[in-house]
Amino acid sequence: MAKGSWIGRVDVSDDEGYMPYAAANAAIFKKFGGRYVVRGGQFDSVEGTARSRNVVIEFPDYATARACYDSPEYQANKKVRAPYAIGDVIIIEGYDGPQP
């Protein structure tokens, strides 16, 4: 079964205000079997528009990735983030087919 992922691109306007949101995510993601694949790190924006932070969180499947996002815990935590950051988040099903 294909995994599911969140892909997030974020611009943070206040690092200190953002910290409680980032810290609370660990327990939320763990509850849904999520794990960080990318969390910040060096990057080059070679096409399109970039944001300052990039995150990829992998879940056991698409339905679980969606359930985590829709959970009361994450929806409450989004409100913590809102005054301090703007971003884009997509939930996407992984590819489980043949590879080159």
Side-chain angles (χ1 to χ4, degrees):
M1 175 180 286
K3 298 193 183 274
S5 296
W6 293 12
I7 300 173
R9 302 172 338 115
V10 182
D11 286 328
V12 176
S13 58
D14 180 338
D15 286 332
E16 190 172 317
Y18 185 82
M19 281 186 211
Y21 162 80
N25 279 336
I28 298 168
F29 297 157
K30 184 176 182 179
K31 177 180 177 180
F32 289 89
R35 71 176 194 93
Y36 289 104
V37 177
V38 173
R39 187 175 186 195
Q42 181 179 335
F43 71 95
D44 291 318
S45 179
V46 295
E47 291 188 35
T49 304
R51 293 199 182 266
S52 61
R53 298 182 189 198
N54 301 286
V55 179
V56 177
I57 304 137
E58 182 182 77
F59 293 88
D61 54 49
Y62 178 84
T64 304
R66 185 65 206 217
C68 181
Y69 184 84
D70 293 336
S71 71
E73 299 95 329
Y74 186 73
Q75 290 302 307
N77 202 31
K78 271 182 34 178
K79 293 175 184 171
V80 173
R81 177 192 74 202
Y84 309 109
I86 58 168
D88 309 305
V89 177
I90 66 165
I91 300 171
I92 190 165
E93 185 176 38
Y95 177 70
D96 201 18
Q99 295 291 338

Coordinates of all heavy atoms in Angstrom, one line a residue:
M1 N 0.8 -1.2 0.0 CA 0.0 0.0 0.0 C 0.9 1.2 0.0 O 1.9 1.3 0.7 CB -0.9 0.0 1.2 CG -1.7 1.3 1.4 SD -2.8 1.3 2.8 CE -4.1 0.2 2.3
A2 N 0.5 2.2 -0.8 CA 1.3 3.4 -0.9 C 1.2 4.3 0.4 O 0.1 4.3 1.0 CB 0.8 4.3 -2.1
K3 N 2.2 4.9 0.7 CA 2.2 5.8 1.9 C 1.5 7.1 1.5 O 1.3 7.4 0.4 CB 3.6 6.0 2.4 CG 4.3 4.7 2.8 CD 5.6 5.0 3.6 CE 6.3 3.7 3.9 NZ 5.8 3.1 5.1
G4 N 1.2 7.9 2.5 CA 0.7 9.2 2.3 C 1.6 10.2 3.0 O 2.4 9.9 3.9
S5 N 1.7 11.4 2.4 CA 2.6 12.4 3.0 C 2.0 13.8 3.0 O 1.0 14.1 2.2 CB 3.9 12.5 2.1 OG 4.6 11.3 2.1
W6 N 2.4 14.6 3.9 CA 2.2 16.0 3.9 C 3.4 16.6 3.3 O 4.6 16.3 3.7 CB 2.1 16.6 5.3 CG 0.9 16.2 6.1 CD1 0.0 15.2 5.9 CD2 0.5 16.8 7.3 NE1 -0.9 15.1 6.9 CE2 -0.6 16.1 7.8 CE3 1.0 17.8 8.1 CZ2 -1.3 16.5 9.0 CZ3 0.4 18.2 9.2 CH2 -0.8 17.5 9.7
I7 N 3.2 17.6 2.4 CA 4.3 18.4 2.0 C 4.0 19.9 2.4 O 2.9 20.4 2.0 CB 4.5 18.3 0.4 CG1 4.8 16.9 0.0 CG2 5.6 19.3 0.0 CD1 4.9 16.6 -1.4
G8 N 4.8 20.4 3.2 CA 4.6 21.8 3.7 C 5.7 22.7 3.3 O 6.9 22.3 3.3
R9 N 5.3 23.9 2.9 CA 6.3 25.0 2.6 C 5.8 26.2 3.4 O 4.7 26.6 3.3 CB 6.3 25.3 1.1 CG 6.6 24.1 0.3 CD 6.4 24.3 -1.2 NE 5.5 25.4 -1.6 CZ 5.9 26.5 -2.2 NH1 7.1 26.7 -2.6 NH2 5.0 27.4 -2.5
V10 N 6.7 26.7 4.3 CA 6.3 27.7 5.3 C 7.2 28.9 5.3 O 8.4 28.7 5.2 CB 6.2 27.0 6.7 CG1 5.8 28.0 7.7 CG2 5.4 25.8 6.7
D11 N 6.7 30.1 5.5 CA 7.4 31.3 5.9 C 7.0 31.6 7.3 O 5.9 31.9 7.6 CB 7.1 32.4 4.9 CG 7.7 32.3 3.5 OD1 8.8 31.7 3.4 OD2 7.1 32.7 2.6
V12 N 8.0 31.7 8.2 CA 7.8 32.0 9.6 C 8.2 33.5 9.8 O 9.3 33.9 9.5 CB 8.6 31.1 10.5 CG1 8.4 31.4 12.0 CG2 8.2 29.6 10.3
S13 N 7.2 34.2 10.4 CA 7.5 35.6 10.7 C 8.0 35.8 12.1 O 8.6 36.9 12.4 CB 6.3 36.5 10.5 OG 5.2 36.0 11.3
D14 N 7.8 34.9 13.0 CA 8.3 35.0 14.4 C 8.7 33.6 14.9 O 7.8 32.8 15.2 CB 7.1 35.6 15.2 CG 7.5 35.7 16.7 OD1 8.4 35.1 17.2 OD2 6.8 36.5 17.4
D15 N 10.0 33.3 14.9 CA 10.5 32.0 15.3 C 10.0 31.6 16.7 O 9.7 30.5 17.0 CB 12.0 32.0 15.2 CG 12.5 31.9 13.8 OD1 11.8 31.4 12.9 OD2 13.6 32.3 13.5
E16 N 10.1 32.6 17.6 CA 9.8 32.2 19.0 C 8.3 31.9 19.2 O 7.9 30.9 19.9 CB 10.1 33.4 19.9 CG 10.0 33.1 21.4 CD 10.5 34.3 22.3 OE1 11.6 34.8 21.9 OE2 9.9 34.6 23.3
G17 N 7.4 32.6 18.5 CA 6.0 32.3 18.5 C 5.7 31.0 17.9 O 4.7 30.3 18.2
Y18 N 6.4 30.6 16.9 CA 6.2 29.4 16.1 C 6.6 28.2 16.8 O 6.1 27.1 16.6 CB 7.0 29.5 14.8 CG 6.8 28.4 13.8 CD1 5.7 28.4 12.9 CD2 7.8 27.4 13.7 CE1 5.6 27.4 12.0 CE2 7.6 26.4 12.7 CZ 6.5 26.4 11.9 OH 6.4 25.4 10.9
M19 N 7.6 28.3 17.8 CA 8.1 27.1 18.5 C 7.1 26.2 19.2 O 7.2 25.0 19.1 CB 9.2 27.6 19.5 CG 10.5 27.9 18.8 SD 11.7 28.2 20.1 CE 12.8 29.4 19.3
P20 N 6.1 26.8 19.9 CA 5.1 25.9 20.5 C 4.4 25.0 19.5 O 4.1 23.9 19.8 CB 4.2 26.9 21.2 CG 5.0 28.1 21.5 CD 5.9 28.2 20.3
Y21 N 4.1 25.6 18.3 CA 3.4 24.8 17.3 C 4.3 23.6 16.8 O 3.9 22.5 16.8 CB 3.1 25.7 16.1 CG 2.8 24.9 14.8 CD1 1.6 24.4 14.6 CD2 3.8 24.8 13.8 CE1 1.3 23.7 13.4 CE2 3.5 24.1 12.7 CZ 2.3 23.5 12.5 OH 2.1 22.8 11.3
A22 N 5.5 23.9 16.5 CA 6.5 22.9 16.1 C 6.7 21.8 17.1 O 6.7 20.6 16.8 CB 7.8 23.5 15.7
A23 N 6.8 22.2 18.4 CA 7.0 21.3 19.5 C 5.8 20.3 19.7 O 5.9 19.1 19.9 CB 7.3 22.0 20.8
A24 N 4.6 20.9 19.6 CA 3.4 20.1 19.8 C 3.1 19.1 18.6 O 2.5 18.1 18.8 CB 2.2 21.0 19.9
N25 N 3.7 19.3 17.5 CA 3.5 18.4 16.3 C 4.0 17.0 16.6 O 3.5 16.1 16.1 CB 4.1 19.0 15.1 CG 3.2 20.0 14.4 OD1 2.0 20.0 14.6 ND2 3.7 20.9 13.6
A26 N 5.1 16.9 17.3 CA 5.7 15.6 17.5 C 4.7 14.6 18.1 O 4.6 13.5 17.5 CB 6.9 15.7 18.5
A27 N 4.0 14.9 19.1 CA 3.0 14.0 19.7 C 1.9 13.7 18.7 O 1.4 12.6 18.6 CB 2.5 14.5 21.0
I28 N 1.4 14.7 18.0 CA 0.3 14.6 17.1 C 0.7 13.6 15.9 O 0.0 12.7 15.6 CB -0.1 15.9 16.5 CG1 -0.6 16.8 17.6 CG2 -1.2 15.7 15.4 CD1 -0.8 18.3 17.2
F29 N 1.9 13.9 15.3 CA 2.3 13.0 14.2 C 2.6 11.6 14.7 O 2.3 10.6 14.0 CB 3.6 13.6 13.6 CG 3.4 14.9 13.0 CD1 4.5 15.8 12.8 CD2 2.1 15.4 12.6 CE1 4.3 17.0 12.2 CE2 1.9 16.6 12.0 CZ 3.0 17.4 11.8
K30 N 3.2 11.4 15.9 CA 3.4 10.1 16.4 C 2.1 9.3 16.6 O 2.1 8.1 16.3 CB 4.2 10.2 17.8 CG 4.6 8.9 18.3 CD 5.4 9.0 19.6 CE 5.8 7.6 20.1 NZ 6.6 7.7 21.3
K31 N 1.1 9.9 17.1 CA -0.2 9.3 17.2 C -0.7 8.7 15.9 O -1.4 7.6 15.9 CB -1.2 10.3 17.8 CG -2.6 9.7 17.9 CD -3.6 10.8 18.5 CE -5.0 10.2 18.5 NZ -5.9 11.2 19.0
F32 N -0.4 9.3 14.8 CA -0.8 8.8 13.5 C 0.2 8.1 12.7 O 0.1 7.8 11.5 CB -1.4 10.0 12.7 CG -2.7 10.5 13.2 CD1 -2.7 11.5 14.2 CD2 -3.9 10.0 12.8 CE1 -3.9 12.0 14.7 CE2 -5.1 10.5 13.3 CZ -5.1 11.5 14.3
G33 N 1.3 7.7 13.4 CA 2.4 7.0 12.7 C 3.2 7.8 11.7 O 3.9 7.3 10.8
G34 N 3.2 9.1 11.9 CA 3.9 10.0 11.0 C 5.4 10.1 11.4 O 5.8 9.9 12.6
R35 N 6.2 10.4 10.4 CA 7.7 10.6 10.6 C 8.2 11.6 9.7 O 7.7 11.7 8.5 CB 8.5 9.3 10.5 CG 8.6 8.8 9.1 CD 9.5 7.5 9.0 NE 9.8 7.2 7.6 CZ 10.9 7.7 7.0 NH1 11.8 8.4 7.6 NH2 11.1 7.4 5.8
Y36 N 9.1 12.4 10.1 CA 9.7 13.4 9.3 C 10.6 12.8 8.2 O 11.5 12.0 8.6 CB 10.5 14.4 10.1 CG 9.7 15.4 10.9 CD1 9.6 15.2 12.3 CD2 9.0 16.4 10.3 CE1 8.8 16.1 13.1 CE2 8.2 17.3 11.1 CZ 8.1 17.1 12.5 OH 7.4 17.9 13.2
V37 N 10.5 13.1 7.0 CA 11.4 12.7 5.9 C 12.3 13.9 5.6 O 13.5 13.8 5.4 CB 10.6 12.3 4.7 CG1 11.5 12.0 3.5 CG2 9.7 11.1 5.0
V38 N 11.7 15.1 5.6 CA 12.4 16.4 5.4 C 11.9 17.3 6.5 O 10.7 17.4 6.7 CB 12.1 17.0 4.0 CG1 12.7 18.4 3.9 CG2 12.6 16.1 2.9
R39 N 12.8 18.0 7.2 CA 12.4 19.0 8.2 C 13.5 20.1 8.1 O 14.5 20.0 8.8 CB 12.4 18.4 9.6 CG 11.8 19.3 10.6 CD 11.6 18.7 11.9 NE 10.9 19.6 12.8 CZ 10.9 19.4 14.1 NH1 11.5 18.3 14.7 NH2 10.3 20.2 14.9
G40 N 13.2 21.1 7.3 CA 14.2 22.2 7.1 C 15.3 21.7 6.2 O 15.1 20.9 5.3
G41 N 16.5 22.1 6.6 CA 17.6 21.7 5.8 C 17.9 22.6 4.6 O 17.1 23.4 4.2
Q42 N 19.1 22.4 4.1 CA 19.6 23.2 3.0 C 18.8 22.8 1.7 O 18.4 21.6 1.5 CB 21.1 22.8 2.7 CG 21.7 23.6 1.6 CD 23.1 23.2 1.4 OE1 23.8 22.8 2.3 NE2 23.6 23.4 0.2
F43 N 18.5 23.8 0.9 CA 17.8 23.6 -0.3 C 18.1 24.6 -1.4 O 18.5 25.7 -1.0 CB 16.2 23.5 -0.1 CG 15.6 24.8 0.2 CD1 15.0 25.5 -0.9 CD2 15.5 25.3 1.5 CE1 14.4 26.8 -0.6 CE2 14.9 26.5 1.7 CZ 14.3 27.2 0.7
D44 N 17.9 24.3 -2.6 CA 18.0 25.2 -3.7 C 16.7 25.3 -4.4 O 16.2 24.2 -4.8 CB 19.1 24.8 -4.7 CG 20.5 24.9 -4.1 OD1 20.8 25.9 -3.4 OD2 21.3 24.0 -4.4
S45 N 16.2 26.4 -4.6 CA 14.9 26.6 -5.3 C 15.3 26.8 -6.8 O 15.7 27.9 -7.2 CB 14.1 27.8 -4.8 OG 12.9 27.9 -5.6
V46 N 15.2 25.7 -7.6 CA 15.7 25.8 -9.0 C 14.6 26.1 -10.0 O 14.9 26.4 -11.1 CB 16.4 24.4 -9.4 CG1 17.7 24.3 -8.5 CG2 15.5 23.3 -9.2
E47 N 13.3 26.0 -9.5 CA 12.2 26.5 -10.3 C 11.1 26.9 -9.4 O 10.9 26.4 -8.4 CB 11.7 25.3 -11.2 CG 12.6 24.9 -12.3 CD 12.0 23.8 -13.2 OE1 10.8 23.9 -13.5 OE2 12.7 23.0 -13.7
G48 N 10.3 27.9 -9.9 CA 9.1 28.3 -9.1 C 9.5 29.2 -8.0 O 10.6 29.7 -7.8
T49 N 8.5 29.4 -7.1 CA 8.6 30.2 -5.9 C 8.8 29.4 -4.7 O 8.1 28.4 -4.5 CB 7.3 31.0 -5.7 OG1 7.0 31.8 -6.9 CG2 7.4 32.0 -4.6
A50 N 9.7 29.7 -3.9 CA 10.1 29.0 -2.7 C 9.6 29.7 -1.4 O 9.3 30.9 -1.5 CB 11.6 28.8 -2.6
R51 N 9.5 28.9 -0.4 CA 9.3 29.5 1.0 C 10.5 29.1 1.8 O 11.3 28.3 1.3 CB 8.0 28.9 1.6 CG 6.7 29.4 0.9 CD 5.5 29.2 1.8 NE 4.3 29.6 1.1 CZ 3.8 30.8 1.2 NH1 4.4 31.8 1.9 NH2 2.6 31.1 0.6
S52 N 10.7 29.7 2.9 CA 11.9 29.6 3.7 C 12.1 28.2 4.4 O 13.2 27.8 4.7 CB 12.0 30.7 4.7 OG 11.0 30.6 5.7
R53 N 11.0 27.5 4.6 CA 11.1 26.2 5.3 C 10.3 25.2 4.5 O 9.2 25.5 4.0 CB 10.6 26.3 6.7 CG 11.4 27.2 7.6 CD 10.8 27.2 9.0 NE 11.5 28.2 9.7 CZ 11.5 28.3 11.0 NH1 10.9 27.4 11.8 NH2 12.1 29.3 11.6
N54 N 10.8 24.0 4.4 CA 10.2 22.9 3.7 C 10.1 21.7 4.7 O 11.1 21.4 5.4 CB 10.9 22.5 2.5 CG 11.1 23.7 1.5 OD1 10.1 24.1 0.9 ND2 12.2 24.3 1.5
V55 N 9.0 21.0 4.6 CA 8.8 19.8 5.5 C 8.0 18.7 4.7 O 7.1 19.0 4.0 CB 7.9 20.2 6.7 CG1 7.7 19.0 7.6 CG2 8.6 21.3 7.5
V56 N 8.5 17.5 4.8 CA 7.8 16.3 4.3 C 7.6 15.4 5.5 O 8.5 15.0 6.1 CB 8.5 15.6 3.2 CG1 7.7 14.4 2.7 CG2 8.7 16.6 2.0
I57 N 6.3 15.0 5.7 CA 6.0 14.1 6.8 C 5.3 12.9 6.2 O 4.3 13.0 5.4 CB 5.1 14.7 7.9 CG1 5.7 16.0 8.4 CG2 4.8 13.7 9.0 CD1 4.8 17.1 8.6
E58 N 5.8 11.7 6.4 CA 5.3 10.5 5.8 C 4.4 9.7 6.8 O 4.8 9.6 8.0 CB 6.5 9.6 5.4 CG 6.1 8.3 4.7 CD 7.3 7.4 4.4 OE1 7.8 6.8 5.4 OE2 7.7 7.4 3.3
F59 N 3.3 9.2 6.3 CA 2.3 8.5 7.1 C 2.1 7.1 6.5 O 2.5 6.9 5.3 CB 1.0 9.2 7.2 CG 1.1 10.5 8.0 CD1 1.4 11.7 7.3 CD2 0.8 10.5 9.3 CE1 1.5 12.9 8.0 CE2 0.9 11.7 10.0 CZ 1.2 12.9 9.4
P60 N 1.6 6.1 7.2 CA 1.4 4.8 6.7 C 0.6 4.7 5.4 O 0.9 3.9 4.6 CB 0.7 4.0 7.8 CG 1.0 4.8 9.1 CD 1.2 6.2 8.7
D61 N -0.3 5.6 5.2 CA -1.1 5.7 4.0 C -1.8 7.1 3.9 O -1.8 7.9 4.8 CB -2.2 4.5 4.0 CG -3.1 4.5 5.2 OD1 -3.6 5.6 5.6 OD2 -3.2 3.4 5.8
Y62 N -2.5 7.3 2.7 CA -3.1 8.6 2.5 C -4.2 8.9 3.5 O -4.3 10.0 4.0 CB -3.7 8.6 1.0 CG -4.4 9.8 0.7 CD1 -3.7 10.9 0.2 CD2 -5.8 10.0 0.8 CE1 -4.3 12.1 -0.1 CE2 -6.4 11.1 0.5 CZ -5.7 12.2 0.1 OH -6.3 13.4 -0.2
A63 N -5.0 7.8 3.8 CA -6.2 8.1 4.7 C -5.7 8.5 6.1 O -6.3 9.4 6.7 CB -7.0 6.8 4.8
T64 N -4.6 7.9 6.5 CA -4.0 8.3 7.8 C -3.4 9.7 7.8 O -3.6 10.5 8.8 CB -3.0 7.3 8.3 OG1 -3.5 6.0 8.3 CG2 -2.4 7.6 9.7
A65 N -2.8 10.0 6.7 CA -2.3 11.4 6.6 C -3.4 12.4 6.6 O -3.3 13.5 7.3 CB -1.5 11.5 5.2
R66 N -4.5 12.1 6.0 CA -5.7 13.0 6.0 C -6.3 13.1 7.4 O -6.7 14.1 7.8 CB -6.7 12.5 4.9 CG -7.9 13.4 4.8 CD -7.4 14.8 4.2 NE -8.3 15.8 4.6 CZ -8.7 16.8 3.8 NH1 -8.2 16.9 2.6 NH2 -9.5 17.7 4.3
A67 N -6.4 11.9 8.0 CA -7.0 11.8 9.4 C -6.2 12.7 10.4 O -6.7 13.3 11.2 CB -7.1 10.4 9.8
C68 N -4.9 12.7 10.2 CA -4.0 13.5 11.1 C -4.3 14.9 10.9 O -4.5 15.7 11.9 CB -2.5 13.1 10.9 SG -1.4 14.1 11.9
Y69 N -4.4 15.4 9.7 CA -4.6 16.8 9.4 C -6.0 17.2 9.9 O -6.1 18.3 10.5 CB -4.5 17.0 7.9 CG -4.7 18.5 7.6 CD1 -3.6 19.4 7.6 CD2 -6.0 19.0 7.2 CE1 -3.8 20.7 7.4 CE2 -6.1 20.4 7.0 CZ -5.0 21.2 7.1 OH -5.2 22.6 6.8
D70 N -7.0 16.3 9.8 CA -8.3 16.7 10.2 C -8.6 16.5 11.7 O -9.6 16.8 12.2 CB -9.4 15.8 9.4 CG -9.4 16.1 7.9 OD1 -9.0 17.3 7.5 OD2 -9.8 15.2 7.1
S71 N -7.6 15.9 12.4 CA -7.8 15.6 13.8 C -8.0 16.9 14.6 O -7.5 17.9 14.3 CB -6.6 14.8 14.3 OG -5.5 15.7 14.4
P72 N -8.8 16.7 15.7 CA -8.9 17.9 16.6 C -7.6 18.4 17.1 O -7.4 19.7 17.3 CB -9.8 17.4 17.7 CG -10.5 16.2 17.2 CD -9.5 15.6 16.1
E73 N -6.7 17.5 17.4 CA -5.4 17.9 17.9 C -4.6 18.8 16.9 O -4.1 19.9 17.3 CB -4.5 16.7 18.2 CG -5.0 15.8 19.2 CD -5.8 14.6 18.6 OE1 -6.4 14.7 17.6 OE2 -5.8 13.5 19.3
Y74 N -4.6 18.4 15.6 CA -3.9 19.2 14.7 C -4.6 20.5 14.4 O -4.0 21.6 14.2 CB -3.5 18.5 13.4 CG -2.6 19.3 12.5 CD1 -1.3 19.6 12.9 CD2 -3.2 20.0 11.4 CE1 -0.5 20.4 12.1 CE2 -2.4 20.9 10.7 CZ -1.0 21.1 11.0 OH -0.3 21.9 10.3
Q75 N -5.9 20.4 14.2 CA -6.7 21.7 14.0 C -6.5 22.7 15.0 O -6.4 23.9 14.8 CB -8.2 21.3 13.8 CG -8.4 20.5 12.5 CD -8.0 21.3 11.2 OE1 -8.4 22.4 11.0 NE2 -7.1 20.6 10.4
A76 N -6.4 22.3 16.3 CA -6.2 23.2 17.4 C -4.7 23.8 17.3 O -4.5 25.0 17.5 CB -6.4 22.5 18.7
N77 N -3.8 22.9 16.9 CA -2.4 23.4 16.8 C -2.2 24.4 15.6 O -1.4 25.3 15.7 CB -1.5 22.2 16.7 CG 0.0 22.5 17.1 OD1 0.2 23.4 18.0 ND2 0.9 21.9 16.5
K78 N -3.0 24.2 14.6 CA -2.9 25.2 13.5 C -3.2 26.6 13.9 O -2.6 27.5 13.5 CB -3.9 24.8 12.4 CG -3.5 23.9 11.3 CD -4.5 23.6 10.3 CE -5.5 24.7 10.0 NZ -6.4 24.4 8.9
K79 N -4.1 26.7 14.9 CA -4.4 28.0 15.4 C -3.3 28.6 16.2 O -3.1 29.8 16.2 CB -5.7 27.9 16.3 CG -6.9 27.5 15.5 CD -8.1 27.3 16.4 CE -9.3 26.9 15.6 NZ -10.4 26.4 16.4
V80 N -2.4 27.8 16.8 CA -1.2 28.3 17.4 C -0.2 28.9 16.4 O 0.4 29.9 16.7 CB -0.6 27.1 18.3 CG1 0.8 27.6 18.8 CG2 -1.5 26.6 19.4
R81 N -0.1 28.2 15.3 CA 0.8 28.6 14.2 C 0.3 29.9 13.5 O 1.2 30.7 13.1 CB 0.9 27.5 13.2 CG 1.8 27.8 12.0 CD 1.6 26.8 10.9 NE 0.4 27.0 10.2 CZ -0.3 26.1 9.5 NH1 0.3 24.9 9.4 NH2 -1.4 26.3 8.9
A82 N -0.9 30.1 13.3 CA -1.5 31.1 12.4 C -0.9 32.5 12.6 O -0.6 33.1 11.6 CB -3.0 31.1 12.5
P83 N -0.7 33.0 13.8 CA -0.2 34.4 13.9 C 1.2 34.5 13.5 O 1.7 35.6 13.3 CB -0.4 34.7 15.4 CG -1.3 33.7 16.0 CD -1.1 32.5 15.1
Y84 N 2.0 33.4 13.4 CA 3.4 33.5 13.2 C 3.9 32.9 11.9 O 5.2 33.0 11.7 CB 4.1 32.7 14.4 CG 3.6 33.1 15.7 CD1 2.7 32.3 16.5 CD2 3.9 34.4 16.2 CE1 2.2 32.7 17.7 CE2 3.4 34.8 17.4 CZ 2.5 34.0 18.2 OH 2.0 34.4 19.4
A85 N 3.1 32.4 11.1 CA 3.6 31.8 9.8 C 2.5 31.7 8.8 O 1.3 31.6 9.1 CB 4.1 30.4 10.1
I86 N 2.9 31.7 7.5 CA 2.0 31.4 6.4 C 2.6 30.2 5.6 O 3.8 30.1 5.6 CB 1.7 32.6 5.5 CG1 3.0 33.1 4.9 CG2 1.0 33.7 6.3 CD1 2.8 34.1 3.8
G87 N 1.8 29.5 5.0 CA 2.4 28.4 4.3 C 1.4 27.7 3.4 O 0.2 28.0 3.3
D88 N 1.9 26.6 2.7 CA 1.1 25.8 1.8 C 1.3 24.4 2.3 O 2.5 24.0 2.6 CB 1.6 25.9 0.4 CG 1.8 27.3 -0.1 OD1 0.8 28.0 0.0 OD2 2.9 27.7 -0.5
V89 N 0.2 23.6 2.4 CA 0.3 22.2 2.8 C -0.5 21.4 1.8 O -1.7 21.8 1.6 CB -0.2 22.0 4.2 CG1 -0.2 20.5 4.6 CG2 0.6 22.7 5.3
I90 N 0.1 20.3 1.3 CA -0.7 19.4 0.5 C -0.6 18.0 1.1 O 0.4 17.7 1.8 CB -0.3 19.4 -1.0 CG1 1.1 18.8 -1.2 CG2 -0.4 20.7 -1.6 CD1 1.4 18.4 -2.6
I91 N -1.6 17.2 1.0 CA -1.6 15.8 1.4 C -1.6 15.0 0.1 O -2.5 15.3 -0.8 CB -2.8 15.5 2.3 CG1 -2.7 16.4 3.5 CG2 -2.8 14.0 2.7 CD1 -4.0 16.4 4.4
I92 N -0.7 14.1 0.0 CA -0.5 13.4 -1.3 C -0.3 11.9 -1.1 O 0.4 11.5 -0.1 CB 0.6 14.1 -2.1 CG1 0.7 13.5 -3.5 CG2 2.0 13.9 -1.4 CD1 1.6 14.4 -4.5
E93 N -0.8 11.2 -2.0 CA -0.6 9.7 -1.9 C 0.7 9.4 -2.6 O 1.1 9.9 -3.6 CB -1.7 9.0 -2.7 CG -1.6 7.5 -2.6 CD -2.8 6.8 -3.3 OE1 -3.3 7.3 -4.3 OE2 -3.3 5.8 -2.8
G94 N 1.5 8.5 -2.0 CA 2.8 8.1 -2.5 C 2.6 7.2 -3.7 O 1.5 6.8 -4.1
Y95 N 3.7 7.0 -4.4 CA 3.8 6.1 -5.6 C 4.3 4.8 -5.1 O 5.4 4.7 -4.5 CB 4.7 6.8 -6.6 CG 4.9 5.9 -7.8 CD1 3.8 5.8 -8.7 CD2 6.1 5.3 -8.1 CE1 4.0 5.0 -9.9 CE2 6.2 4.5 -9.2 CZ 5.2 4.4 -10.1 OH 5.3 3.6 -11.2
D96 N 3.6 3.7 -5.5 CA 4.0 2.4 -5.1 C 4.1 1.5 -6.3 O 3.9 0.3 -6.2 CB 2.9 1.8 -4.2 CG 3.4 0.7 -3.3 OD1 4.6 0.5 -3.2 OD2 2.5 0.0 -2.8
G97 N 4.4 2.1 -7.5 CA 4.5 1.3 -8.7 C 6.0 1.0 -9.1 O 6.9 1.2 -8.3
P98 N 6.2 0.6 -10.3 CA 7.5 0.2 -10.8 C 8.4 1.5 -10.8 O 8.0 2.6 -11.0 CB 7.3 -0.3 -12.2 CG 5.9 -0.4 -12.4 CD 5.2 0.3 -11.3
Q99 N 9.7 1.2 -10.5 CA 10.7 2.3 -10.5 C 11.6 2.1 -11.7 O 11.8 1.0 -12.2 CB 11.5 2.3 -9.3 CG 10.7 2.6 -8.0 CD 10.3 4.0 -7.9 OE1 10.8 4.9 -8.6 NE2 9.2 4.2 -7.2
P100 N 12.3 3.2 -12.2 CA 13.2 3.1 -13.3 C 14.4 2.2 -13.0 O 14.7 1.9 -11.9 CB 13.6 4.5 -13.6 CG 13.0 5.3 -12.5 CD 12.2 4.5 -11.7

